[in-house]
Structure formats: C-alpha cells, structure tokens
Amino acid sequence: MKKILFIIAIIVIFGGFATGCNLLKEDDGQEKTLTPSNKTSNNEKVVDEKAWKDITTLKIPEGEKSDYPTNAKDWIATEYSVFNEISVQDSKLQQTGHDEYYKYYLEAMGIPTALSIIEVKGISIEKDFNNIQQLAAIIVEEHNIRTENVDPDRPETFSSWEEPSERLILASNYLKQLFNDLNVAINKEGKGNLFGVAYQIDGNKTKELEDFIQGNY
C-alpha cells in the first residue's frame, strides 16, 4: 500500500513539474511575439518625405504687381529658366565679353534674399532649398576669388579675370541641375528629364552633390 501511494505521489509531482515547464514555454513564447517592434508597428505612421507646403507670407498690396516671384512654384520656374535657358540678357553679357559664369554669379547673389522671402516646409524640399543656398554661396565665393586682383572701380578690366575655377564650374552645373529637377518635380508633375540631384525626386546623386558642397570631390 505504501509502495502504491509513493508511486502516485511521484506521478503527481512529475505531472505538476511538466505542467509548469509547459507554462514557462508558453509564457516564453508570448514574450517573443510581443517584441517592442511588434507592439508599435501598428501605430507607426508612414511619413511622406516629399510632401511639402509653400509657407511664404509675402503679401502684395491689392492692385499692385510684383516683378519678382512671390511663391515657391513661380520662383523655382523662374530660376530654372535663368540657369537653363539662354536669354536676351545672356547675349548682352556675351557681347561685352563676359562668360556664362558671371551670369550665374549675378543670379546667385540674389538667392539668399529670395530665400528669405520664399519659404517652404517639407523634409525633402527643405534639403533641396538648403543645397540651393549652399551652391549659391560657393558660386559667389569662387567669383570673388577670380576677381580679387581686379580693380572693382574699373569694370572694363573683366578681361583680366581669372579663368573660372573647377569648383565654380561644378557649383554652377549642380545648381542648374537642381533647379531642373525641382522644376520637374514641382511644376511638371514629375515628367521630364532628370539629373538625380534633388531629394524631391528621390535623386540618386544627392550624396554626390552634398559631398561636393562639403568639399569632398
């Protein structure tokens, strides 16, 4: 009789131990499925990095007209035209012996003022506008270097300007490309030839552009 009770006790203890192990396994399995990433995945919001807003606050008095763009779309279109199309002004500059990089310098000089008026909000477009401003600064800096030994009171001495530096040429080309890509993205619904230097079109050369801006080229 004692032997039988002993066997029953062993069975009960072993059964309880096995049940406990199974519970531990089940609990362990639940912990593995309730990872932080799984808990938050359903609550995460997909951010559209190319979504943007024009937050320009410039107001033109009623009845008056502005000779300059007063919104981001028009400004991008205008800058695209200046940097990528030949105008009457370009012909006049060429007739006086100026090269195209002087034209880019004149336009780059006005970009900081324009960007103090034209304002945008959005992850990608803000990166692009920041790169525009930095490229414009490089153009101005390099032009000042090429003319630093020239008497500013004698404009006829432009013929003695230094040749445009590689950095000036590259900055001008990148700015032309950036305005092209932004114009396609903002004003042409993404339809047109692209250079791949704008975040707004998921460009594959944005790193290349920023390496250049940082001096790594």
Side-chain angles (χ1 to χ4, degrees), residues 22-41:
N22 288 334
L23 288 172
L24 287 173
K25 286 181 181 178
E26 288 175 5
D27 288 345
D28 186 53
Q30 287 178 351
E31 287 178 4
K32 286 181 180 177
T33 57
L34 294 176
T35 60
S37 60
N38 286 335
K39 287 179 182 178
T40 59
S41 61

Side-chain angles (χ1 to χ4, degrees), residues 58-105:
L58 178 66
K59 301 290 184 183
I60 303 298
E62 188 175 348
E64 293 187 14
K65 292 183 180 180
S66 173
D67 294 330
Y68 302 96
T70 57
N71 61 76
K73 284 188 173 185
D74 288 349
W75 183 73
I76 290 168
T78 298
E79 293 299 318
Y80 163 77
S81 297
V82 169
F83 278 91
N84 288 278
E85 297 175 358
I86 297 175
S87 67
V88 174
Q89 181 65 23
D90 295 338
S91 300
K92 290 179 179 178
L93 288 174
Q94 289 174 1
Q95 288 170 11
T96 57
H98 291 90
D99 57 35
E100 62 182 308
Y101 298 99
Y102 180 60
K103 160 195 167 177
Y104 302 144
Y105 158 74

Side-chain angles (χ1 to χ4, degrees), residues 6-24:
F6 179 74
I7 292 171
I8 292 170
I10 289 175
I11 292 171
V12 169
I13 292 169
F14 181 80
F17 177 75
T19 302
C21 288
N22 288 334
L23 288 172
L24 287 173

